[in-house]
Amino acid sequence: MSKTILITGASKGFGRTWTEAFLAKGYNVAATARNVDTLNDLKEKYGNAILPLKLDVNNREESLEVVQKVKNHFGTIDVLINNAGYALTGAVEEASEKEAREQFETNFFGTLWLTQAVLPIMRVQKSGHIIQVSSILGLATLPATMGLYSASKFAIEGLSETLASEVKQFGINVTLLEPNGYASNIWHTGISSENIPAYDEIKKALAERENIFGKVEATAPIVVKLVENENPPLRLLLGKVALPFVKQSYEQRLESWEKWNAVSVEAHG
């Protein structure tokens, strides 16, 4: 049975690759982008199976309108993939108020608005799958350059874990996709306007570390499998670097918590 998938940020990177994969499988896809002209070739190839829609996820009203357009056009929304986002790079101290707010407006609030918009439809259907594109940097952090991006993804993790427990009763599944680094243009989409020389050394050390980036196209069959799974996981790491990176971080956390547990218990009163 064909599914109807609404995916944001479909013009490039993960979004574009997954959109093409879903269309090739015969699914209906509502693909959103700030510039829908980037989807013209897919419209020519797949015709009515794709519905390109202009969307700025920062705009809550526009998000609500787009969801209704998809429902009116296809009659249902089976899967929402909140993929739109970008990475602000720079030390925490270097981020301006405007840059920090914009990072959260797109990555966190954009995800929230689309999620809220599809939930009434999925509740009535008594089915649905919401896939939130998070990151391993929503589970553990890197020193210098990615603090605001990590913070936005940590926020998505907390939101989505809670959401999953709220909507399971309605037959709605939630999955957090947590990719490690992939060779996409997300790493060049935002740089803090201020550069503080005091952080140059740690930035240099980070840049010189070995970076093992995955291939974006390799994720397409995996995400198709995820959409087709009747019992999808709450969390799914993407890439071979992801699990070792996250395990190391959580082992360090557990060690610290256990070391200080006597103090923690004393604080209980």
Side-chain angles (χ1 to χ4, degrees), residues 24-55:
K25 289 284 289 185
Y27 296 153
N28 295 320
V29 181
T32 79
R34 291 194 180 208
N35 178 10
V36 292
D37 289 342
T38 58
L39 302 169
N40 285 345
D41 60 324
L42 295 182
K43 182 64 178 175
E44 291 177 8
K45 183 175 181 179
Y46 291 101
N48 293 332
I50 181 172
L51 177 64
L53 292 167
K54 182 180 182 298
L55 174 63

mmCIF file of all heavy atoms in Angstrom, residues 24-55:
data_model
loop_
_atom_site.group_PDB
_atom_site.id
_atom_site.type_symbol
_atom_site.label_atom_id
_atom_site.label_comp_id
_atom_site.label_asym_id
_atom_site.label_seq_id
_atom_site.Cartn_x
_atom_site.Cartn_y
_atom_site.Cartn_z
ATOM 1 N N ALA A 24 10.805 6.741 -6.086
ATOM 2 C CA ALA A 24 11.181 5.549 -6.851
ATOM 3 C C ALA A 24 10.455 4.301 -6.345
ATOM 4 O O ALA A 24 10.227 3.356 -7.101
ATOM 5 C CB ALA A 24 12.695 5.344 -6.781
ATOM 6 N N LYS A 25 10.069 4.316 -5.060
ATOM 7 C CA LYS A 25 9.335 3.186 -4.472
ATOM 8 C C LYS A 25 7.829 3.281 -4.715
ATOM 9 O O LYS A 25 7.070 2.396 -4.335
ATOM 10 C CB LYS A 25 9.592 3.131 -2.969
ATOM 11 C CG LYS A 25 10.998 2.689 -2.588
ATOM 12 C CD LYS A 25 11.190 1.188 -2.743
ATOM 13 C CE LYS A 25 10.428 0.427 -1.689
ATOM 14 N NZ LYS A 25 10.697 -1.036 -1.734
ATOM 15 N N GLY A 26 7.402 4.373 -5.347
ATOM 16 C CA GLY A 26 5.989 4.521 -5.662
ATOM 17 C C GLY A 26 5.163 5.244 -4.620
ATOM 18 O O GLY A 26 3.931 5.244 -4.678
ATOM 19 N N TYR A 27 5.816 5.898 -3.668
ATOM 20 C CA TYR A 27 5.100 6.648 -2.643
ATOM 21 C C TYR A 27 4.685 8.023 -3.159
ATOM 22 O O TYR A 27 5.316 8.571 -4.072
ATOM 23 C CB TYR A 27 5.972 6.836 -1.395
ATOM 24 C CG TYR A 27 6.330 5.562 -0.677
ATOM 25 C CD1 TYR A 27 7.491 5.476 0.080
ATOM 26 C CD2 TYR A 27 5.512 4.448 -0.733
ATOM 27 C CE1 TYR A 27 7.830 4.312 0.758
ATOM 28 C CE2 TYR A 27 5.835 3.280 -0.062
ATOM 29 C CZ TYR A 27 6.998 3.221 0.680
ATOM 30 O OH TYR A 27 7.319 2.067 1.330
ATOM 31 N N ASN A 28 3.662 8.591 -2.552
ATOM 32 C CA ASN A 28 3.329 9.997 -2.760
ATOM 33 C C ASN A 28 4.199 10.831 -1.832
ATOM 34 O O ASN A 28 4.311 10.509 -0.645
ATOM 35 C CB ASN A 28 1.857 10.262 -2.448
ATOM 36 C CG ASN A 28 0.927 9.542 -3.394
ATOM 37 O OD1 ASN A 28 1.178 9.467 -4.590
ATOM 38 N ND2 ASN A 28 -0.152 8.988 -2.857
ATOM 39 N N VAL A 29 4.795 11.894 -2.347
ATOM 40 C CA VAL A 29 5.684 12.710 -1.532
ATOM 41 C C VAL A 29 5.320 14.182 -1.650
ATOM 42 O O VAL A 29 5.294 14.746 -2.755
ATOM 43 C CB VAL A 29 7.164 12.528 -1.938
ATOM 44 C CG1 VAL A 29 8.059 13.381 -1.049
ATOM 45 C CG2 VAL A 29 7.571 11.055 -1.855
ATOM 46 N N ALA A 30 5.027 14.798 -0.519
ATOM 47 C CA ALA A 30 4.910 16.249 -0.441
ATOM 48 C C ALA A 30 6.271 16.757 0.004
ATOM 49 O O ALA A 30 6.704 16.480 1.124
ATOM 50 C CB ALA A 30 3.824 16.645 0.554
ATOM 51 N N ALA A 31 6.961 17.426 -0.900
ATOM 52 C CA ALA A 31 8.345 17.841 -0.659
ATOM 53 C C ALA A 31 8.407 19.353 -0.510
ATOM 54 O O ALA A 31 8.025 20.085 -1.430
ATOM 55 C CB ALA A 31 9.236 17.385 -1.817
ATOM 56 N N THR A 32 8.875 19.811 0.651
ATOM 57 C CA THR A 32 8.918 21.246 0.875
ATOM 58 C C THR A 32 10.341 21.780 0.764
ATOM 59 O O THR A 32 11.318 21.088 1.060
ATOM 60 C CB THR A 32 8.346 21.635 2.252
ATOM 61 O OG1 THR A 32 9.329 21.379 3.272
ATOM 62 C CG2 THR A 32 7.063 20.887 2.553
ATOM 63 N N ALA A 33 10.418 23.039 0.333
ATOM 64 C CA ALA A 33 11.703 23.719 0.209
ATOM 65 C C ALA A 33 11.434 25.207 0.172
ATOM 66 O O ALA A 33 10.321 25.652 -0.139
ATOM 67 C CB ALA A 33 12.425 23.289 -1.064
ATOM 68 N N ARG A 34 12.442 25.988 0.490
ATOM 69 C CA ARG A 34 12.279 27.434 0.368
ATOM 70 C C ARG A 34 12.200 27.840 -1.100
ATOM 71 O O ARG A 34 11.540 28.804 -1.450
ATOM 72 C CB ARG A 34 13.444 28.152 1.054
ATOM 73 C CG ARG A 34 13.425 28.001 2.571
ATOM 74 C CD ARG A 34 14.359 28.979 3.235
ATOM 75 N NE ARG A 34 14.350 28.851 4.679
ATOM 76 C CZ ARG A 34 14.609 29.845 5.515
ATOM 77 N NH1 ARG A 34 14.904 31.035 5.046
ATOM 78 N NH2 ARG A 34 14.591 29.651 6.811
ATOM 79 N N ASN A 35 12.894 27.082 -1.950
ATOM 80 C CA ASN A 35 12.874 27.332 -3.390
ATOM 81 C C ASN A 35 12.411 26.065 -4.090
ATOM 82 O O ASN A 35 13.183 25.138 -4.283
ATOM 83 C CB ASN A 35 14.263 27.748 -3.880
ATOM 84 C CG ASN A 35 14.314 27.979 -5.385
ATOM 85 O OD1 ASN A 35 13.266 28.012 -6.046
ATOM 86 N ND2 ASN A 35 15.505 28.152 -5.924
ATOM 87 N N VAL A 36 11.147 26.015 -4.490
ATOM 88 C CA VAL A 36 10.586 24.800 -5.076
ATOM 89 C C VAL A 36 11.098 24.544 -6.491
ATOM 90 O O VAL A 36 10.921 23.440 -7.027
ATOM 91 C CB VAL A 36 9.034 24.829 -5.080
ATOM 92 C CG1 VAL A 36 8.494 24.750 -3.668
ATOM 93 C CG2 VAL A 36 8.520 26.059 -5.803
ATOM 94 N N ASP A 37 11.746 25.533 -7.103
ATOM 95 C CA ASP A 37 12.310 25.317 -8.438
ATOM 96 C C ASP A 37 13.366 24.206 -8.420
ATOM 97 O O ASP A 37 13.626 23.579 -9.445
ATOM 98 C CB ASP A 37 12.935 26.605 -8.980
ATOM 99 C CG ASP A 37 11.881 27.646 -9.338
ATOM 100 O OD1 ASP A 37 10.701 27.261 -9.499
ATOM 101 O OD2 ASP A 37 12.228 28.838 -9.457
ATOM 102 N N THR A 38 13.962 23.977 -7.260
ATOM 103 C CA THR A 38 14.973 22.918 -7.141
ATOM 104 C C THR A 38 14.362 21.528 -7.302
ATOM 105 O O THR A 38 15.083 20.549 -7.459
ATOM 106 C CB THR A 38 15.673 22.989 -5.767
ATOM 107 O OG1 THR A 38 14.690 22.858 -4.732
ATOM 108 C CG2 THR A 38 16.410 24.308 -5.597
ATOM 109 N N LEU A 39 13.027 21.461 -7.283
ATOM 110 C CA LEU A 39 12.332 20.177 -7.391
ATOM 111 C C LEU A 39 11.675 19.983 -8.756
ATOM 112 O O LEU A 39 10.962 19.004 -8.971
ATOM 113 C CB LEU A 39 11.271 20.072 -6.288
ATOM 114 C CG LEU A 39 11.801 20.196 -4.851
ATOM 115 C CD1 LEU A 39 10.640 20.338 -3.872
ATOM 116 C CD2 LEU A 39 12.659 19.002 -4.486
ATOM 117 N N ASN A 40 11.928 20.898 -9.682
ATOM 118 C CA ASN A 40 11.274 20.836 -10.999
ATOM 119 C C ASN A 40 11.576 19.536 -11.740
ATOM 120 O O ASN A 40 10.702 18.962 -12.387
ATOM 121 C CB ASN A 40 11.702 22.026 -11.865
ATOM 122 C CG ASN A 40 11.033 23.325 -11.422
ATOM 123 O OD1 ASN A 40 10.060 23.303 -10.672
ATOM 124 N ND2 ASN A 40 11.556 24.450 -11.883
ATOM 125 N N ASP A 41 12.824 19.074 -11.650
ATOM 126 C CA ASP A 41 13.183 17.852 -12.376
ATOM 127 C C ASP A 41 12.438 16.634 -11.834
ATOM 128 O O ASP A 41 12.051 15.736 -12.599
ATOM 129 C CB ASP A 41 14.691 17.623 -12.332
ATOM 130 C CG ASP A 41 15.221 17.477 -10.910
ATOM 131 O OD1 ASP A 41 14.693 18.159 -10.012
ATOM 132 O OD2 ASP A 41 16.164 16.695 -10.694
ATOM 133 N N LEU A 42 12.213 16.605 -10.518
ATOM 134 C CA LEU A 42 11.464 15.493 -9.929
ATOM 135 C C LEU A 42 9.988 15.572 -10.315
ATOM 136 O O LEU A 42 9.338 14.536 -10.512
ATOM 137 C CB LEU A 42 11.617 15.496 -8.411
ATOM 138 C CG LEU A 42 13.024 15.245 -7.873
ATOM 139 C CD1 LEU A 42 13.019 15.234 -6.349
ATOM 140 C CD2 LEU A 42 13.590 13.925 -8.402
ATOM 141 N N LYS A 43 9.461 16.775 -10.429
ATOM 142 C CA LYS A 43 8.069 16.953 -10.850
ATOM 143 C C LYS A 43 7.894 16.467 -12.279
ATOM 144 O O LYS A 43 6.902 15.791 -12.605
ATOM 145 C CB LYS A 43 7.679 18.428 -10.736
ATOM 146 C CG LYS A 43 6.231 18.721 -11.096
ATOM 147 C CD LYS A 43 5.262 18.045 -10.143
ATOM 148 C CE LYS A 43 3.826 18.389 -10.472
ATOM 149 N NZ LYS A 43 2.860 17.647 -9.617
ATOM 150 N N GLU A 44 8.850 16.764 -13.127
ATOM 151 C CA GLU A 44 8.781 16.318 -14.522
ATOM 152 C C GLU A 44 8.847 14.797 -14.616
ATOM 153 O O GLU A 44 8.171 14.182 -15.437
ATOM 154 C CB GLU A 44 9.926 16.940 -15.325
ATOM 155 C CG GLU A 44 9.781 18.440 -15.533
ATOM 156 C CD GLU A 44 10.967 19.033 -16.278
ATOM 157 O OE1 GLU A 44 11.812 18.259 -16.764
ATOM 158 O OE2 GLU A 44 11.036 20.277 -16.365
ATOM 159 N N LYS A 45 9.644 14.186 -13.774
ATOM 160 C CA LYS A 45 9.845 12.737 -13.830
ATOM 161 C C LYS A 45 8.709 11.955 -13.181
ATOM 162 O O LYS A 45 8.279 10.910 -13.706
ATOM 163 C CB LYS A 45 11.169 12.369 -13.161
ATOM 164 C CG LYS A 45 11.508 10.893 -13.221
ATOM 165 C CD LYS A 45 12.894 10.614 -12.640
ATOM 166 C CE LYS A 45 13.233 9.120 -12.720
ATOM 167 N NZ LYS A 45 14.590 8.835 -12.174
ATOM 168 N N TYR A 46 8.193 12.460 -12.046
ATOM 169 C CA TYR A 46 7.234 11.670 -11.274
ATOM 170 C C TYR A 46 5.809 12.217 -11.293
ATOM 171 O O TYR A 46 4.899 11.605 -10.721
ATOM 172 C CB TYR A 46 7.723 11.543 -9.830
ATOM 173 C CG TYR A 46 8.958 10.680 -9.705
ATOM 174 C CD1 TYR A 46 10.224 11.249 -9.575
ATOM 175 C CD2 TYR A 46 8.870 9.296 -9.750
ATOM 176 C CE1 TYR A 46 11.362 10.453 -9.458
ATOM 177 C CE2 TYR A 46 9.999 8.491 -9.648
ATOM 178 C CZ TYR A 46 11.240 9.079 -9.497
ATOM 179 O OH TYR A 46 12.367 8.292 -9.396
ATOM 180 N N GLY A 47 5.609 13.357 -11.920
ATOM 181 C CA GLY A 47 4.260 13.893 -12.099
ATOM 182 C C GLY A 47 3.503 14.129 -10.811
ATOM 183 O O GLY A 47 4.006 14.738 -9.860
ATOM 184 N N ASN A 48 2.291 13.595 -10.746
ATOM 185 C CA ASN A 48 1.410 13.861 -9.608
ATOM 186 C C ASN A 48 1.818 13.154 -8.321
ATOM 187 O O ASN A 48 1.225 13.400 -7.270
ATOM 188 C CB ASN A 48 -0.023 13.467 -9.963
ATOM 189 C CG ASN A 48 -0.622 14.353 -11.031
ATOM 190 O OD1 ASN A 48 -0.231 15.518 -11.159
ATOM 191 N ND2 ASN A 48 -1.553 13.824 -11.802
ATOM 192 N N ALA A 49 2.815 12.282 -8.395
ATOM 193 C CA ALA A 49 3.268 11.590 -7.180
ATOM 194 C C ALA A 49 4.005 12.530 -6.244
ATOM 195 O O ALA A 49 4.118 12.260 -5.046
ATOM 196 C CB ALA A 49 4.171 10.423 -7.546
ATOM 197 N N ILE A 50 4.499 13.644 -6.788
ATOM 198 C CA ILE A 50 5.199 14.617 -5.942
ATOM 199 C C ILE A 50 4.439 15.937 -5.925
ATOM 200 O O ILE A 50 3.958 16.415 -6.958
ATOM 201 C CB ILE A 50 6.657 14.842 -6.407
ATOM 202 C CG1 ILE A 50 7.349 15.862 -5.473
ATOM 203 C CG2 ILE A 50 6.738 15.267 -7.865
ATOM 204 C CD1 ILE A 50 8.843 16.014 -5.723
ATOM 205 N N LEU A 51 4.316 16.490 -4.742
ATOM 206 C CA LEU A 51 3.687 17.792 -4.559
ATOM 207 C C LEU A 51 4.730 18.737 -3.957
ATOM 208 O O LEU A 51 4.976 18.714 -2.748
ATOM 209 C CB LEU A 51 2.486 17.679 -3.615
ATOM 210 C CG LEU A 51 1.767 18.993 -3.272
ATOM 211 C CD1 LEU A 51 1.127 19.610 -4.510
ATOM 212 C CD2 LEU A 51 0.718 18.761 -2.181
ATOM 213 N N PRO A 52 5.387 19.546 -4.806
ATOM 214 C CA PRO A 52 6.369 20.497 -4.277
ATOM 215 C C PRO A 52 5.647 21.683 -3.620
ATOM 216 O O PRO A 52 4.696 22.230 -4.184
ATOM 217 C CB PRO A 52 7.137 20.960 -5.527
ATOM 218 C CG PRO A 52 6.728 20.020 -6.621
ATOM 219 C CD PRO A 52 5.348 19.570 -6.272
ATOM 220 N N LEU A 53 6.101 22.051 -2.436
ATOM 221 C CA LEU A 53 5.469 23.147 -1.706
ATOM 222 C C LEU A 53 6.527 24.071 -1.106
ATOM 223 O O LEU A 53 7.481 23.603 -0.486
ATOM 224 C CB LEU A 53 4.584 22.598 -0.585
ATOM 225 C CG LEU A 53 3.325 21.843 -1.011
ATOM 226 C CD1 LEU A 53 2.741 21.094 0.164
ATOM 227 C CD2 LEU A 53 2.302 22.802 -1.600
ATOM 228 N N LYS A 54 6.323 25.361 -1.291
ATOM 229 C CA LYS A 54 7.226 26.339 -0.702
ATOM 230 C C LYS A 54 6.947 26.429 0.794
ATOM 231 O O LYS A 54 5.798 26.554 1.208
ATOM 232 C CB LYS A 54 7.038 27.710 -1.356
ATOM 233 C CG LYS A 54 7.976 28.791 -0.848
ATOM 234 C CD LYS A 54 7.710 30.102 -1.565
ATOM 235 C CE LYS A 54 8.686 31.168 -1.093
ATOM 236 N NZ LYS A 54 8.551 31.463 0.358
ATOM 237 N N LEU A 55 8.005 26.365 1.587
ATOM 238 C CA LEU A 55 7.820 26.434 3.041
ATOM 239 C C LEU A 55 9.057 26.969 3.729
ATOM 240 O O LEU A 55 10.166 26.489 3.496
ATOM 241 C CB LEU A 55 7.495 25.047 3.607
ATOM 242 C CG LEU A 55 7.421 24.937 5.146
ATOM 243 C CD1 LEU A 55 6.300 25.804 5.698
ATOM 244 C CD2 LEU A 55 7.262 23.496 5.590
#
